[in-house]
Every structure is written in C-alpha cells, then in structure tokens.
C-alpha cells in the first residue's frame, strides 16, 4: 500500500515539487512538468517525453544531459494534458524542432497529438514516436496497438542521444522508431498497486499466484499462474521474448541490451537472482549481452512485479546507446557539465482578459455556473463507484480524474462568471480547466464536449433549445473524431450518441428543452447500463476484454449520471 500523502488530489503536484527540490542540479519546474536546468545548445532537437505520474523514474527522472530535455508529467496514472505537453515543448524548443515520445495509451495519444498539432500550427516542426514494446498487449499483426512499458527507456535514450549527436528532427525520429521496432518487453506481478488515499489496490492476485502480462497502470494480467522459482520466472520471461525476434535479426551473435525492471516493491536482491538465470539463458541462445540493466526504470507505485526488456542493437543503435547520460534517476558514463540556464516559462493558464457578455448572456453564465456545481456534486457523490468500475479492466482512476476535472472547471467557471463573462466564455474557460487539470482521455474528451456546447451559447443573447442541442451534437462528433471510438466499442460514445440523437430528435419535434433533455438522459442511462454486455475495443481495457464483460463502461456511466442530474436542474429551473 501507499502510506504517505497529505491530500490524495495534491499528491502528484507535491511529489513533483519535492523531486525538483532534490534535483535542482539537473531539472527545474515549469508549468506542465520539468525541463533541464542546464544550457541546451541552439539548433539541437528538443526531446520531450511524458506520461502519468506514479512510474518513477519515468518520466521526470529521465530529464537531464544526454537524455530528455523535458518531461510532461500528468497526474497519477493519467496522461498529461495537451496544454502541459505544449508548455513543456515551448520551454525547451531550441529552433530545430521538437520530438515527442510516450507510452502508447489512449489519453497520451490524444493529448500529445493535439499538442503536436498546436506546435505545428505555430511553425514548430514536431514529430512523434509512441512506444509499443509490450508483447502481451496485442499480437504481432497489431503491434501498433501495443502499450509502452519499460521499453520507454530504450526509445527515449536513443532519441536523446541522436539529438546530442546533432541529428536533425527527421533523423531523431527515424532512429527512435527503429529503437521502438527493436524493443520487446514482457512482465509479471505478484500484487497490485494502491493509489494514495485508496482503500484497496487496483487489482489483486491470489496468494501464491502470479499475474502474467500485466499493465503498468494496474491493468490486470492476461493470464495467471502459480508463482514459479526465480529460475522458473527467468525461463518464462526469456521464452516469451525469444518467440518474437525483430525482423531482419539473426539470433546467433546478436547484440542485445537486457533490462530487468522492478515495478516498485520487488527487491533488487530478488531481481539479481532472477537475472543470473536470464543471463545464462540468453547467452545459451547465442546472444551477446551489452550493458545489462537491473533496477527500477518504469514502476507502478507499490506493485510487486518485474518485466524483462530486450533491446536488439545494430551498429548505429549501439553507438548511440554509448552516449553519456546524467539525469536524476539514470546515469551512464561521464558527461561534461554545462552551465545552468534561464529557461523561458510558458504559462499553462489562460491569462487573457475576460471580455464581458451582454446582460442576457451574463444571466445564462450564472446558469452555467449552477450547472457546473451540479456536475461537481454528482461526481463527488459517485467518485468511489466510478473508480471501482474502472479498476475492473482499466486503471481505476476514472472517478479521481473526473473529480479533478470537474472541480477545476467549476473554479474556472466561477471566476469567469464573477468577472462578467458571457455564457460562451464561462463554459469555454471551464472546458480548458477541465482538460488541463484532469488530463487523460476523459479530460481531453470532456474539454471537447464543453467547448462545442460553449460555441453555441454565445456571449450575447439567450440560446434556444436548438442551439444547445446543436452544441451537444457538435461535441459528440468532436469526441468521435478525436477519440476514434464508435458505438459498440464500450466507451463513453455508447452513451453520447443515444443522448444526442434523442435530444436532437425531440427538439426538432418541438419538445421543450426540459422534456427533450429528460428523455435523452433516460436514453443515455439505458445505453450506459447496456455497455456492460460489450467487449471493449478501445482504451486500456481493450487487452482485457473478458474482465470487462458484465461491468458497464465508466465513461458512459459518468456521462449518464451527469446529464441526468443536469436534467433535474433544468426541471427545477423551469418550475
């Protein structure tokens, strides 16, 4: 269990503050995460990595000379927001473009891709390689769907070494993609992990048993077996990885970097016993072992488990691998220290002045404020249940993420409304705050929904039912375009589409907004409940479909709860 925290919601921020205080020689904090505290030459490609907190030394511990230039650090097990990634990239850009890399998870893909689009729109060349090393998470034919685990290290280090060597952005991207193609990982766990303040771990493993093929966010394994001996575990890990050799590699005489990664609670001494046999097996297979790693490189809070990564080298990759590195949690070779730098900070907050709305729109803004309060109250009431549902086949943080996002949205909405903003500005500020503070998939998608509705509210006059229905419909289409999910994939979309279809149909049939919304909320509630029968096809639950059958999608449930509560608010207001 996790034992030390103040307020669980503040854990990630306070952890980053302490990390920076302890490592000022290497890193400094900027909005969104951390960047190098040392001078970076002009004209060097900037390497930005990132993901959720809870995986130390990933991601902030890998920022420093010879490694990443900056890390976008999301909340616990939640991807950083688009604004966080953008802010870090702007802070470290030295005129040669930005290279982004992260583990291949839905929230990270959404937010890093959106940041990439924003950077490119501003004329900053940006490229991305998502890490896909976990062979348990998808078959070879769908390798692009695999998630990233401890193989992050090989891709990040290769990209950063190429940047240090003077490669241009295309060159950095090329060798990072090659490193990803030549990295394979497989892991096991003996216990789940527990987030700060949580009463129970995200998943459990029966005594004497071992989860096989688990995920680093607490996703359950794809199989379960009795705990073997140390030698037996070594044989399992090596056997699984040697069944999948990268294209073009001849095993006999191949040079590989073996990385035995501890997931948080497994002792180094235990891992050394396991690695002893791993080394024997790899050498017996004809491999040449280069720079073996045994330690913690990508953890999962207090999870007791380990993963083995094999990084299959060629001459170029091995040359880059020899680049000296000096980061807070990872050092190799000897770097020449450089001076500390003054790095321009990019604020993650919207600081433009608030233009006042007209009298009618200011009145609607107060209604928006009341709606945001109802939304917060609804999530607070159901936060534990949403987390429980999400933990069954996901990572258990949906309730916490929704809580962070909704509270941030309410605070931003209150500030805007009290400053005299119209309805559009009030809800748009709330949308930005939600997306930024929640992070993850749900944060990004709720930002899309609220922005679309805000655009139809306007800052002048009073919107009619048709405008509100059109805003909801635009939000749903935005979610589908952004997240790529369809009805039947077991996502929030399974509740969104019935809601907007029913709402639009009722409004077009001259129903009042209250009647139309109430009918649509009922359709969303029934659709959300029906999602229990579906196999997940998107997101973290995709690799563990059988675990999710019988449990509804948490995103669909939270949406249905929210629109139901908002319907009750509308009914009370009309009365």
């Amino acid at each position: 269990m996790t034992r030390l925290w103040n307020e669980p919601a503040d854990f990630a921020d306070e952890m980053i503050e302490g990390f920076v205080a302890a490592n000022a020689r290497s890193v400094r904090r900027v909005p969104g995460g951390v960047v190098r505290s040392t001078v970076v030459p002009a004209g060097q490609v900037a390497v930005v990595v990132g993901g959720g907190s809870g995986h130390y030394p990933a991601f902030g511990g890998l920022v420093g000379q010879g490694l990443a230039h900056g890390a976008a650090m999301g909340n616990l097990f939640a991807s950083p927001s688009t604004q966080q990634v953008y802010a870090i990239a702007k802070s470290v850009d030295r005129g040669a473009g930005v290279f982004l890399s992260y583990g291949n998870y839905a929230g990270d893909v959404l937010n890093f891709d959106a940041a990439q689009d924003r950077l490119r729109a501003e004329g900053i060349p940006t490229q991305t390689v998502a890490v896909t090393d976990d062979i348990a998470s998808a078959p070879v034919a769908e390798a692009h769907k695999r998630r990233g685990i401890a193989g992050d290290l090989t891709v990040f280090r290769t990209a950063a070494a190429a940047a240090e060597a003077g490669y241009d952005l295309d060159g950095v991207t090329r060798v990072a993609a090659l490193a990803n193609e030549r990295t394979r990982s497989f892991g096991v766990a003996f216990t789940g992990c527990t987030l700060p303040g949580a009463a129970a771990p995200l998943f459990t493993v029966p005594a004497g048993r071992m989860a096989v093929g688990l995920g680093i966010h607490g996703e359950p394994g794809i199989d379960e077996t009795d705990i073997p001996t140390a030698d037996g575990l070594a044989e399992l890990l090596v056997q699984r990885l040697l069944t999948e050799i990268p294209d073009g590699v001849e095993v006999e005489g191949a040079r590989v970097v073996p990385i035995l990664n501890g997931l948080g609670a497994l002792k180094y001494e235990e891992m050394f016993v396991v690695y002893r046999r791993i080394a024997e097996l790899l050498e017996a297979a004809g491999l040449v072992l280069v720079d073996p790693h045994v330690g913690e490189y990508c953890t999962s809070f207090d999870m007791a488990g380990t993963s083995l990564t094999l990084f299959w080298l060629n001459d170029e990759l091995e040359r880059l691998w020899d680049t000296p590195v000096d980061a807070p949690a990872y050092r190799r070779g000897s770097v020449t220290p450089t001076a500390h730098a003054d790095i321009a900070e990019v604020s993650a907050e919207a600081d433009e002045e608030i233009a006042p709305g007209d009298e009618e729109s200011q009145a609607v803004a107060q209604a928006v404020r009341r709606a945001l309060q109802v939304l917060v109250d609804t999530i607070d009431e159901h936060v534990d249940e949403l987390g429980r549902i999400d933990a069954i086949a996901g990572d258990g943080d949906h309730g916490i993420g929704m809580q962070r996002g909704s509270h941030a949205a309410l605070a931003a909405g209150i500030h805007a409304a009290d400053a005299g903003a119209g309805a559009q500005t009030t809800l748009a500020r709330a949308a930005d705050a939600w997306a930024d503070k929640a992070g993850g998939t749900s944060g990004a998608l709720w930002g899309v929904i609220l922005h679309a509705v805000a655009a139809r509210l306007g800052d002048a006059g009073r919107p009619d039912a048709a405008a509100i229905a059109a805003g909801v419909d635009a939000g749903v289409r935005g979610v589908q375009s952004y997240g790529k999910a369809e009805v039947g994939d077991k996502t929030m979309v399974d509740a969104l589409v019935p809601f907007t279809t029913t709402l639009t149909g009722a409004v077009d049939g001259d129903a009042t907004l209250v009647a139309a919304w109430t009918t649509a909320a009922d359709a969303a509630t029934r659709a959300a409940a029906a999602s229990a029968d579906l196999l997940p096809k998107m997101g973290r639950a995709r690799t563990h479909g059988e675990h999710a059958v019988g449990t509804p999608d948490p995103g669909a449930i939270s949406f249905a709860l929210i629109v139901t509560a908002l319907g009750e608010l509308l009914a009370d207001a009309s009365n």
Side-chain angles (χ1 to χ4, degrees):
M1 61 183 293
T2 306
R3 296 173 176 84
L4 298 174
W5 65 86
N6 295 312
E7 288 294 329
D10 297 333
F11 187 91
D13 282 338
E14 293 180 349
M15 176 274 296
I16 296 171
E17 289 176 15
F19 164 68
V20 171
N23 294 284
R25 65 180 291 274
S26 298
V27 298
R28 61 173 293 179
R29 189 167 190 182
V30 298
V34 298
V35 299
R36 289 190 199 178
S37 60
T38 52
V39 171
V40 177
Q44 185 174 107
V45 173
V47 175
V48 174
V49 303
S53 297
H55 304 300
Y56 192 83
F59 295 87
L62 303 180
V63 173
Q65 288 183 248
L67 235 168
H69 296 80
M73 301 173 70
N75 220 298
L76 301 179
F77 291 0
S79 75
S81 69
T82 299
Q83 182 61 25
Q84 286 181 284
V85 179
Y86 168 82
I88 295 296
K90 289 282 284 186
S91 293
V92 299
D93 176 35
R94 299 293 288 149
V98 176
F99 173 79
L100 306 176
S101 194
Y102 52 87
N104 187 37
Y105 298 89
D108 296 280
V109 173
L110 288 176
N111 286 295
F112 275 85
D113 279 359
Q116 176 175 264
D117 291 344
R118 184 173 174 184
L119 291 164
R120 288 175 173 175
E122 294 183 8
I124 300 173
T126 309
Q127 299 289 345
T128 296
V129 170
V131 182
T132 56
D133 59 305
D134 182 15
I135 67 171
S137 55
V140 175
E142 296 183 323
H144 63 286
K145 295 183 179 180
R146 288 176 170 175
R147 59 197 175 196
I149 49 176
D152 285 355
L153 177 65
T154 68
V155 178
F156 296 170
R157 188 174 170 190
T158 298
E164 291 280 346
Y167 284 47
D168 64 13
L169 181 59
D170 287 342
V172 170
T173 305
R174 175 185 61 80
V175 293
L178 179 61
N180 186 52
E181 292 168 8
R182 285 174 165 255
T183 301
R184 303 285 189 277
S185 301
F186 190 81
V188 301
F190 313 104
T191 68
C193 55
T194 306
L195 296 179
L202 294 178
F203 73 93
T204 58
V205 182
R209 301 283 284 175
M210 178 177 74
V212 178
L214 74 152
I216 58 168
H217 299 93
E219 303 97 327
I222 59 173
D223 196 7
E224 190 180 285
T225 184
D226 289 338
I227 295 177
T229 62
D231 284 359
L233 176 57
E235 290 158 10
L236 169 67
L237 296 172
V238 170
Q239 184 273 327
R240 290 292 185 102
L241 289 179
L242 291 187
T243 60
E244 189 177 314
I245 310 300
D247 291 342
V249 173
E250 293 291 336
V251 174
E252 184 65 37
R255 299 173 67 81
V256 299
V257 176
I259 302 173
L260 186 63
N261 174 62
L263 286 165
L266 200 66
K267 300 303 295 181
Y268 276 56
E269 287 87 349
E270 294 174 273
M271 288 192 287
F272 287 134
V273 173
V274 176
Y275 183 73
R276 157 194 154 275
R277 181 58 177 155
I278 287 173
E280 294 173 354
L281 292 168
L282 293 176
E283 289 171 348
L287 303 180
V288 178
L289 308 188
V290 177
D291 191 22
H293 284 44
V294 178
E296 293 181 344
Y297 305 101
C298 185
T299 61
S300 186
F301 256 103
D302 59 332
M303 186 184 294
T306 186
S307 63
L308 177 63
T309 298
L310 295 182
F311 179 32
W312 301 78
L313 300 169
N314 66 9
D315 291 343
E316 181 181 29
L317 294 176
E318 186 166 358
R319 184 173 65 252
L320 292 170
W321 189 256
D322 286 336
T323 301
V325 174
D326 184 8
Y330 186 86
R331 294 182 176 89
R332 280 291 191 275
S334 178
V335 304
T336 301
T338 62
H340 283 71
D342 291 325
I343 300 176
E345 295 188 7
V346 180
S347 175
E349 305 294 334
D351 55 6
E352 66 270 19
E353 291 186 6
I354 294 176
D358 70 9
E359 186 174 345
E360 279 194 313
S361 191
Q362 286 181 3
V364 178
Q366 292 300 324
V368 169
R369 173 178 174 165
R370 291 191 292 274
L372 291 169
Q373 182 65 65
V374 167
L375 196 154
V376 164
D377 293 343
T378 301
I379 294 302
D380 283 352
E381 180 183 352
H382 297 281
V383 63
D384 291 338
E385 177 63 10
L386 293 173
R388 185 195 67 79
I389 295 171
D390 190 38
I392 291 174
D395 57 10
D397 71 344
H398 182 71
I400 296 172
M402 291 290 288
Q403 194 172 53
R404 284 196 305 264
S406 60
H407 279 261
L410 175 60
I414 290 173
H415 175 73
D418 286 352
Q424 177 174 343
T425 298
T426 297
L427 189 55
R429 290 298 183 94
D432 288 338
W434 188 315
D436 187 37
K437 297 303 181 184
T441 306
S442 66
L445 298 184
W446 271 96
V448 169
I449 294 168
L450 297 183
H451 258 296
V453 175
R456 299 311 195 279
L457 297 181
D459 282 328
R462 182 180 295 272
D464 59 14
I468 294 173
V472 173
D473 183 65
V476 173
R477 286 186 282 107
V479 165
Q480 290 188 279
S481 174
Y482 199 30
K484 312 302 181 187
E486 301 291 340
V487 172
D489 286 346
K490 194 162 187 161
T491 70
M492 182 167 64
V493 168
D494 289 304
L496 281 173
V497 170
F499 180 81
T500 191
T501 301
T502 305
L503 179 67
T504 301
V507 168
D508 288 347
D510 294 326
T512 65
L513 179 60
V514 173
W517 193 282
T518 301
T519 302
D522 182 62
T525 299
R526 286 185 279 109
S531 70
D533 299 328
L534 299 174
L535 279 169
K537 299 177 183 177
M538 300 286 286
R540 292 176 185 169
R542 176 186 56 80
T543 56
H544 304 286
E546 69 280 3
H547 293 284
V549 175
T551 301
D553 177 71
I557 291 293
S558 61
F559 177 80
L561 290 170
I562 287 168
V563 294
T564 298
L566 292 178
E568 294 169 357
L569 176 67
L570 285 170
D572 289 344
S574 68
N575 290 333

